[in-house]
Amino acid sequence: MPAPPVGVVGLGQLGGSLAAALVAAGRPVQGWDVDPAARDAAAARGVQITRELSGVVVLAVPLTAMAGALDGLTIDPDATVTDLGSVKRPVLESVGRTLGGRYVGGHPMCGTERSGHAAVDPGLFTGARWALCLEPDTELPRWLRVAEVAMAAGAEVVPVTATEHDDAVAAISHVSHLLAAALAAAAAQAGPLALALAAGSFRDGTRVIGSDPAFVRAMVEGNAGPTASALARVHQQLARPWAELVADGHAVVTRQGGRRTVRVPLDRAALLSLGRAGGAVTHRLAAFVEGWVPEDRAPEDRLPDRA
Amino acid sequence: MPAPPVGVVGLGQLGGSLAAALVAAGRPVQGWDVDPAARDAAAARGVQITRELSGVVVLAVPLTAMAGALDGLTIDPDATVTDLGSVKRPVLESVGRTLGGRYVGGHPMCGTERSGHAAVDPGLFTGARWALCLEPDTELPRWLRVAEVAMAAGAEVVPVTATEHDDAVAAISHVSHLLAAALAAAAAQAGPLALALAAGSFRDGTRVIGSDPAFVRAMVEGNAGPTASALARVHQQLARPWAELVADGHAVVTRQGGRRTVRVPLDRAALLSLGRAGGAVTHRLAAFVEGWVPEDRAPEDRLPDRA
């Protein structure tokens, strides 16, 4: 069976980059954007501009626009719909409720503080992790179809549930945005001398809050519970003796770990187990997928048994 | 009067880079390091290796080694001694107590998470701010001599007191290190899936804790009071409604401000006033220095009157 076409709704940084990467990989790509300039830029990269989409339809619009993303478009009744939103439970409860088993939530862990079609980069997904939701009622063949799109764009697929995803990204992304904002705002409170002396550590620590505030707000408010829990863990860490905290933080960021290749059956529990172990899927083969787990986490030729 | 020689004690990343920048600027540079490899690397860049130092002597050693940095060296009795340590009150109380008016505390706001003589970069100071302490008993001619060394290396000089400096760097640097450590340690607590999904915002937000933990620990523990106060401000910020926090943090990092050139008399109060306004000294002229303040902070041709 040939690969189904991919229809990308929203041709800004993420959607436009995905469309460009898939065109480069030889996949037929359709697309639509409410902005004519974004449509023209995508058409120039080989995307067929149309309001009639089929195959795998990718919603690459801001979280606040997700529920209405398909308004005015004609979608094939058998199409599989996925999205690139940075929070998964709210999209599962809105788009997912309408589409049922045809919806597979996704979130590529890339993008920069830039946005819009001028920031399109066909290499954006190369080597990135792409979280892809496997809920109890997700149809596995549709999940695999979306996984193949992500892998065709150069990403590695991390099987997760929406709940696991939202907890994880609260810890590594949403809290990062709040810490960056607090660091910047507290430095401004300290006065102009402090801001004048700001250098590398301040620039790195605040960079992510240069992102569009409406986007950041939709993300943290759309994932309020997990973000509050993750922030509570950060507060606990900050209450520890500084010497211990510094040593532990240093160990986390300098950890070097190998990868062990594993084969995973086409089975929800096994796939989710791979994701929980910190691994990812890199290839689809006939009756299984191939992927990897961190070397220190799985005994040879076995998947971790924590599913 | 020709520029006095500069003697650099410690030829690692900061000291070696300073020596190399000054050699490139045509200043005679002497230097010493306990590590023969660092001495050889500096000698190859044109530094005269000697244990007998005069002129402006720069202590470019870790905070923990500062008190004994001059052991085994012969220093001209009229030499002016400065340092590059990231905390200023403890050095003022140790080295400064011994040397009195001959000591001028300094802190260039640069350096990376790398260290050692292999990380030497003669361009490290170009455009960087260099805090330089003006205490009540600092001899202004010695302060100007050190300021000229900093400017010869490409930096802009921010006049501060040790107390102002330590408060300011707690806000923009020391707290950044603790937040980075807490973000990393809390993400590890969240589990392998969270770390597997970590991408740009986590990488930026934790980068600085890749630095040598002994260095980070000496810095935050050596500036414990101001760092605790700055951390309390961060906690206050994190308790605000997220929408406000995100908007304020975004405004701080995206603020664009022009510079207004000012002339500042050779006077402690006027120089400190420039620093408090967020400005810096860029040139020394005969009877005054030239510098700048942020455009929104000083009325034309006047210094801010908050000294």
Side-chain angles (χ1 to χ4, degrees):
Chain A
M1 199 173 81
V6 178
V8 182
V9 180
L11 296 163
Q13 186 191 32
L14 279 179
S17 297
L18 177 60
L22 293 172
V23 168
R27 299 267 309 227
V29 183
Q30 307 167 325
W32 183 256
D33 195 291
V34 290
D35 174 10
R39 293 199 296 267
D40 290 350
R45 289 191 192 91
V47 175
Q48 184 206 344
I49 301 300
T50 168
R51 291 174 189 260
E52 297 181 16
L53 305 170
S54 60
V56 174
V57 175
V58 183
L59 308 184
V61 299
L63 284 173
T64 47
M66 202 65 84
L70 294 177
D71 294 352
L73 302 178
T74 304
I75 306 297
D76 182 277
D78 191 44
T80 298
V81 178
T82 187
D83 75 306
L84 310 182
S86 47
V87 189
K88 296 274 59 81
R89 272 184 305 197
V91 186
L92 183 63
E93 284 157 21
S94 58
V95 177
R97 185 161 297 173
T98 313
L99 296 169
R102 288 171 52 206
Y103 169 70
V104 177
H107 181 205
M109 305 307 299
C110 51
T112 67
E113 66 277 15
R114 299 175 60 209
S115 60
H117 65 85
V120 160
D121 169 9
L124 189 66
F125 301 93
T126 306
R129 311 285 154 81
W130 189 314
L132 209 54
C133 294
L134 258 175
E135 304 306 319
D137 62 348
T138 303
E139 297 172 26
L140 198 57
R142 293 188 185 271
W143 188 90
L144 288 166
R145 237 168 269 153
V146 181
E148 285 174 320
V149 169
M151 292 188 285
E156 301 180 335
V157 173
V158 179
V160 290
T161 67
T163 299
E164 286 173 342
H165 168 274
D166 288 359
D167 288 344
V169 295
I172 50 96
S173 167
H174 303 177
V175 151
S176 303
H177 287 76
L178 293 178
L179 293 180
L183 177 59
Q189 245 182 304
L193 170 62
L195 291 179
L197 294 182
S201 67
F202 183 78
R203 212 157 38 232
D204 288 342
T206 60
R207 182 172 293 119
V208 73
I209 201 62
S211 306
D212 177 2
F215 164 82
V216 176
R217 186 177 164 174
M219 194 168 71
V220 295
E221 292 182 344
N223 197 26
T227 301
S229 301
L231 195 53
R233 282 195 299 267
V234 169
H235 283 298
Q236 282 166 20
Q237 292 290 344
L238 288 170
R240 296 174 64 200
W242 291 348
E244 285 178 24
L245 172 60
V246 165
D248 282 6
H250 180 77
V252 172
V253 304
T254 55
R255 185 182 294 163
Q256 302 281 343
R259 291 173 165 205
R260 182 188 308 282
T261 300
V262 290
R263 290 182 166 188
V264 183
L266 295 180
D267 169 84
R268 179 173 182 264
L271 287 163
L272 287 176
S273 176
L274 178 75
R276 283 181 204 126
V281 175
T282 53
H283 300 91
R284 180 185 177 177
L285 301 169
F288 54 87
V289 292
E290 195 167 271
W292 58 270
V293 290
E295 207 161 46
D296 54 343
R297 302 233 172 248
E300 199 147 358
D301 295 325
R302 275 189 67 223
L303 268 179
D305 47 10
R306 306 194 299 142
Chain B
M1 198 173 83
V6 178
V8 182
V9 180
L11 297 163
Q13 187 190 31
L14 279 179
S17 296
L18 176 61
L22 293 171
V23 167
R27 301 267 307 228
V29 183
Q30 308 167 325
W32 184 257
D33 194 291
V34 291
D35 174 9
R39 293 199 297 268
D40 291 349
R45 290 192 192 90
V47 176
Q48 183 205 346
I49 301 300
T50 169
R51 289 173 190 262
E52 297 182 15
L53 305 170
S54 60
V56 174
V57 175
V58 183
L59 309 184
V61 300
L63 284 172
T64 46
M66 201 66 82
L70 294 177
D71 294 353
L73 303 178
T74 305
I75 306 297
D76 181 276
D78 190 44
T80 298
V81 178
T82 187
D83 75 307
L84 310 183
S86 47
V87 189
K88 296 275 57 78
R89 273 185 304 197
V91 186
L92 183 64
E93 284 157 21
S94 59
V95 178
R97 184 162 297 173
T98 313
L99 295 169
R102 291 171 50 209
Y103 169 70
V104 177
H107 181 204
M109 305 306 299
C110 51
T112 67
E113 67 275 15
R114 300 174 60 209
S115 61
H117 65 86
V120 160
D121 169 10
L124 190 64
F125 301 93
T126 306
R129 311 286 153 80
W130 188 315
L132 209 55
C133 292
L134 258 175
E135 304 307 318
D137 61 348
T138 303
E139 297 173 24
L140 198 56
R142 292 188 187 272
W143 188 90
L144 288 166
R145 236 168 270 151
V146 181
E148 285 174 319
V149 170
M151 292 189 284
E156 302 179 334
V157 173
V158 179
V160 289
T161 66
T163 299
E164 286 174 340
H165 169 274
D166 288 0
D167 288 342
V169 296
I172 51 96
S173 167
H174 304 177
V175 150
S176 303
H177 287 76
L178 293 179
L179 292 180
L183 176 58
Q189 244 182 305
L193 170 62
L195 291 178
L197 294 183
S201 66
F202 183 79
R203 212 157 39 232
D204 288 341
T206 60
R207 182 174 292 117
V208 74
I209 201 62
S211 306
D212 177 1
F215 164 82
V216 176
R217 187 178 163 174
M219 194 167 72
V220 295
E221 293 183 343
N223 197 26
T227 301
S229 301
L231 195 53
R233 282 194 299 268
V234 169
H235 282 299
Q236 282 166 21
Q237 293 289 345
L238 288 170
R240 296 174 64 199
W242 291 347
E244 286 177 24
L245 172 61
V246 165
D248 282 5
H250 180 76
V252 172
V253 304
T254 56
R255 185 183 295 166
Q256 301 283 342
R259 292 172 165 204
R260 181 188 309 283
T261 299
V262 291
R263 289 180 167 191
V264 184
L266 295 180
D267 169 85
R268 180 172 182 264
L271 287 164
L272 287 176
S273 176
L274 178 75
R276 283 180 204 126
V281 174
T282 53
H283 301 91
R284 181 187 176 175
L285 301 170
F288 54 86
V289 292
E290 194 168 272
W292 57 270
V293 290
E295 209 162 44
D296 54 342
R297 301 231 174 249
E300 201 148 356
D301 296 327
R302 275 189 69 224
L303 267 179
D305 47 12
R306 306 193 299 140

